[in-house]
Short mmCIF file of all heavy atoms in Angstrom, two decimals:
data_model
loop_
_atom_site.label_atom_id
_atom_site.label_comp_id
_atom_site.label_asym_id
_atom_site.label_seq_id
_atom_site.Cartn_x
_atom_site.Cartn_y
_atom_site.Cartn_z
N PRO A 125 -49.28 51.58 118.34
CA PRO A 125 -48.48 50.85 119.30
C PRO A 125 -48.87 49.47 119.55
O PRO A 125 -47.95 48.60 119.78
CB PRO A 125 -48.56 51.79 120.50
CG PRO A 125 -49.65 52.72 120.32
CD PRO A 125 -49.87 52.88 118.82
N ALA A 126 -50.13 49.23 119.60
CA ALA A 126 -50.60 47.80 119.94
C ALA A 126 -50.28 46.87 118.83
O ALA A 126 -49.84 45.74 119.08
CB ALA A 126 -52.12 47.83 120.25
N ALA A 127 -50.40 47.37 117.54
CA ALA A 127 -50.10 46.50 116.39
C ALA A 127 -48.59 46.19 116.36
O ALA A 127 -48.15 45.11 116.19
CB ALA A 127 -50.58 47.18 115.08
N LEU A 128 -47.82 47.27 116.56
CA LEU A 128 -46.32 47.12 116.52
C LEU A 128 -45.95 46.17 117.66
O LEU A 128 -45.03 45.25 117.47
CB LEU A 128 -45.68 48.51 116.63
CG LEU A 128 -45.94 49.38 115.38
CD1 LEU A 128 -45.37 50.74 115.60
CD2 LEU A 128 -45.19 48.75 114.15
N GLY A 129 -46.54 46.41 118.83
CA GLY A 129 -46.19 45.59 119.99
C GLY A 129 -46.51 44.04 119.80
O GLY A 129 -45.78 43.22 120.13
N LEU A 130 -47.65 43.95 119.14
CA LEU A 130 -48.14 42.50 118.85
C LEU A 130 -47.19 41.73 117.85
O LEU A 130 -46.82 40.60 118.12
CB LEU A 130 -49.56 42.51 118.31
CG LEU A 130 -50.25 41.16 118.05
CD1 LEU A 130 -50.54 40.48 119.43
CD2 LEU A 130 -51.50 41.23 117.24
N ILE A 131 -46.73 42.47 116.83
CA ILE A 131 -45.86 41.88 115.85
C ILE A 131 -44.56 41.53 116.58
O ILE A 131 -44.03 40.48 116.40
CB ILE A 131 -45.58 42.88 114.66
CG1 ILE A 131 -46.91 43.19 113.97
CG2 ILE A 131 -44.60 42.19 113.65
CD1 ILE A 131 -46.79 44.44 113.08
N SER A 132 -44.05 42.43 117.33
CA SER A 132 -42.66 42.19 118.06
C SER A 132 -42.98 41.02 118.97
O SER A 132 -41.97 40.14 119.09
CB SER A 132 -42.27 43.39 118.83
OG SER A 132 -42.05 44.46 117.93
N ALA A 133 -44.00 40.99 119.82
CA ALA A 133 -44.29 39.87 120.75
C ALA A 133 -44.39 38.60 120.07
O ALA A 133 -43.95 37.52 120.56
CB ALA A 133 -45.50 40.28 121.61
N ALA A 134 -44.98 38.56 118.92
CA ALA A 134 -45.26 37.27 118.11
C ALA A 134 -43.88 36.76 117.62
O ALA A 134 -43.65 35.57 117.46
CB ALA A 134 -46.19 37.51 116.99
N GLY A 135 -43.01 37.71 117.27
CA GLY A 135 -41.70 37.30 116.70
C GLY A 135 -41.75 36.85 115.27
O GLY A 135 -40.80 36.21 114.71
N VAL A 136 -42.93 36.98 114.58
CA VAL A 136 -43.09 36.59 113.21
C VAL A 136 -43.97 37.65 112.60
O VAL A 136 -44.67 38.41 113.18
CB VAL A 136 -43.88 35.24 113.07
CG1 VAL A 136 -43.08 34.08 113.60
CG2 VAL A 136 -45.25 35.32 113.81
N PRO A 137 -43.75 37.80 111.20
CA PRO A 137 -44.67 38.83 110.54
C PRO A 137 -46.09 38.31 110.59
O PRO A 137 -46.42 37.13 110.63
CB PRO A 137 -44.17 38.79 109.10
CG PRO A 137 -43.30 37.54 108.95
CD PRO A 137 -42.84 37.07 110.30
#
Side-chain angles (χ1 to χ4, degrees):
L128 294 171
L130 185 70
I131 301 164
S132 301
V136 291

